[in-house]
């Protein structure tokens, strides 16, 4: 059977950076995210006796050998759980630049997992799907449930899963993803995380995280935007401090990133409730509430050195659709 899934990218409010188990992709801490309506991956999969070996194709771009191997490993996990030995044809398409943040692997593995199990005819619960998606790329587990999502770190594979804290309709938060460089990032998240323990700042970050996670949960529950924005910015800067003090250092920002951070801070000083967060790349997510959409649209247009802006709302998680890519 053929199946197609669409999965959103997600932006982490509380970041995942570092694993307690590399093979199982068990994270060092719980993380929290929002699914993004404007940045998503569509994937069609068909397991068939007429395919002799897995065929993996990215529309509007190219996968590296390493990326293809990662997709095939994902297909192997699906085949093993379903007890099926057929090869697959996979066609996938991103609505946004691959590798510009960590977003493409999150939406990519969420879509692959959901489409893969549907195509192979095995039904999994949402929780089980998040566990399998996590094994492909950690943050992918957060792209399966709806809206605002928490990923429990867990001490073994089945205990490390994601679930929805609130549906996307509960709060109209906007995320303008300002793309300053759409090229592939130099250090992959997987490679960058391998040396996280070399950062002298890691222990401090891990000690601060449980309280920060609680503050983020409370801000989402109370719809307190200044509380949410402050904790999101604090965690972003804290994660980048760890990244930048690792050996070798992971410096994902560039001059354009810094300029946008400065602009967001000055807009806030002048009274607009707006905050930034940044994943493993130079692009900046600018967060604000829908009521400030008009003023923010004007402000964002004043930014220079911008390739493109992707406007997002909170959205549902991965879902199956009828329009196939082949
Ligand atoms: C900085 O999920 O891409 O975006 O599990 O190694 O594939 P792997 O890492 P990945 O890491 C995402 C890191 C981040 C923060 C976050 O999204 O939580």
């Amino acid at each position: 059977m053929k199946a197609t899934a669409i999965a959103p990218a997600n932006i982490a409010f509380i970041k995942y950076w570092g694993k307690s188990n590399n093979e199982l992709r068990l994270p060092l801490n719980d993380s929290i995210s929002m699914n993004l309506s404007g940045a998503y991956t569509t994937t069609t999969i068909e397991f068939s006796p007429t395919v002799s070996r897995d065929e993996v194709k990215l529309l509007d771009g190219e996968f590296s050998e390493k990326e293809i191997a990662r997709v095939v490993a994902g297909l192997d996990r699906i085949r093993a759980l379903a007890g099926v030995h057929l090869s697959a044809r996979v066609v996938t398409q991103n609505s946004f630049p691959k590798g510009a943040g960590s977003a493409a692997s999150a939406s990519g593995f969420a879509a692959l997992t959901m489409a893969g199990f549907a195509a192979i005819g095995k039904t999994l619960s949402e929780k089980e799907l998040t566990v399998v998606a996590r094994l492909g790329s950690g943050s992918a587990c957060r792209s399966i449930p709806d809206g605002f999502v928490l990923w429990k770190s867990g001490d073994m594979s089945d205990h490390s899963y994601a679930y929805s804290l609130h549906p996307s309709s509960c709060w109209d938060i906007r995320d303008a993803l300002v793309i300053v460089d759409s090229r592939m990032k130099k250090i992959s998240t997987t490679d960058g995380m391998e040396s996280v323990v070399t950062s002298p700042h890691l222990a401090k970050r891990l000690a601060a995280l449980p309280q920060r996670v609680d503050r983020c949960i409370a801000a989402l529950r109370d719809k307190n935007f200044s509380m949410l924005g402050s904790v999101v910015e604090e965690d972003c800067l804290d994660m980048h401090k760890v990244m930048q003090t690792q050996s070798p250092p992971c410096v994902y920002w560039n001059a354009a990133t810094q300029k946008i951070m400065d602009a967001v801070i000055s807009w806030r000083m002048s009274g607009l409730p707006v905050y930034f967060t940044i994943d493993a790349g130079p692009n900046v997510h600018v967060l604000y509430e829908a009521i400030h959409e008009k003023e923010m649209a004007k402000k964002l247009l004043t930014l220079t050195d911008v390739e493109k802006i992707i406007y997002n709302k909170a959205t549902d998680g991965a879902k199956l659709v009828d329009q196939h890519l082949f």
Side-chain angles (χ1 to χ4, degrees):
M1 202 177 85
K2 195 186 283 184
T4 300
I6 298 188
N10 66 74
I11 178 63
F13 290 165
I14 300 292
K15 311 288 190 188
Y16 147 54
W17 189 254
K19 301 175 176 77
S20 61
N21 181 317
N22 286 336
E23 211 178 314
L24 294 177
R25 288 181 199 273
L26 295 179
L28 288 172
N29 58 277
D30 294 357
S31 56
I32 297 178
S33 62
M34 177 178 106
N35 288 329
L36 301 176
S37 61
Y40 49 87
T41 300
T42 307
T43 299
T44 299
I45 304 186
E46 182 173 38
F47 290 93
S48 165
T50 66
V51 183
S52 56
R53 63 195 285 263
D54 292 328
E55 294 168 16
V56 180
K57 191 169 153 195
L58 173 68
L59 300 179
D60 308 322
E62 222 161 296
F63 276 134
S64 66
E65 300 257 311
K66 213 169 157 187
E67 287 169 322
I68 291 179
R70 221 167 140 181
V71 171
V72 170
L75 294 170
D76 287 342
R77 279 189 289 273
I78 294 167
R79 282 187 280 254
L81 279 162
V84 171
H85 302 286
L86 297 173
S87 293
R89 191 170 287 131
V90 179
V91 176
T92 190
Q93 187 167 35
N94 291 321
S95 74
F96 59 98
K98 171 174 78 81
S102 59
S105 66
S107 54
F109 277 100
L112 180 88
T113 306
M114 182 159 275
F117 280 107
I120 218 161
K122 182 161 174 76
T123 308
L124 255 57
S125 66
E126 178 182 276
K127 179 175 167 181
E128 288 166 331
L129 283 172
T130 73
V131 168
V132 182
R134 187 204 80 231
L135 292 163
S137 178
S139 56
C141 70
R142 298 191 311 239
S143 287
I144 291 192
D146 287 343
F148 301 88
V149 176
L150 188 140
W151 170 16
K152 273 245 74 56
S153 49
D155 52 3
M156 55 194 272
S157 196
D158 290 352
H159 295 176
S160 186
Y161 59 91
Y163 59 91
S164 179
L165 288 171
H166 302 285
S168 55
S169 57
C170 94
W171 196 0
D172 199 352
I173 293 180
R174 301 299 169 89
D175 175 325
L177 169 51
V178 184
I179 310 275
V180 296
D181 187 348
S182 55
R183 285 170 303 178
M184 196 72 187
K185 59 191 172 242
K186 288 193 194 77
I187 313 160
S188 76
T189 45
T190 306
D191 291 347
M193 281 187 213
E194 295 238 323
S195 48
V196 70
V197 290
T198 60
S199 166
H201 186 67
L202 179 67
K204 212 168 158 209
R205 169 168 170 73
L206 293 178
L209 271 164
Q211 204 246 24
R212 208 176 280 157
V213 168
D214 287 347
R215 269 161 63 211
C216 188
I217 291 173
L220 287 170
R221 182 197 58 214
D222 301 342
K223 298 201 181 75
N224 181 335
F225 193 70
S226 58
M227 183 178 177
L228 179 72
S230 320
V231 76
V232 167
E233 249 182 41
E234 178 183 311
D235 192 57
C236 161
L237 294 170
D238 196 41
M239 176 186 73
H240 282 274
K241 186 167 173 183
V242 169
M243 290 168 155
Q244 291 171 7
T245 52
Q246 286 176 207
S247 177
C250 291
V251 181
Y252 289 109
W253 297 346
N254 62 26
T257 315
Q258 189 65 53
K259 256 179 33 191
I260 297 166
M261 291 160 68
D262 292 346
V264 169
I265 292 168
S266 78
W267 297 337
R268 190 161 70 235
M269 305 263 274
S270 68
L272 257 182
V274 53
Y275 296 83
F276 64 79
T277 187
I278 303 156
D279 279 345
N283 305 316
V284 183
H285 293 255
V286 179
L287 299 166
Y288 50 93
E289 288 183 283
I291 35 163
H292 298 294
E293 190 182 9
K294 283 218 177 85
E295 297 136 278
M296 280 308 303
K298 277 192 218 142
K299 294 276 188 215
L300 289 162
L301 284 177
T302 64
L303 295 173
T304 50
D305 302 324
V306 172
E307 279 186 19
K308 153 180 193 180
I309 301 180
I310 301 174
Y311 290 92
N312 299 284
K313 300 178 182 193
T315 193
D316 287 347
K319 55 174 184 278
L320 293 169
V321 294
D322 293 332
Q323 295 83 25
H324 303 302
L325 293 177
F326 64 88

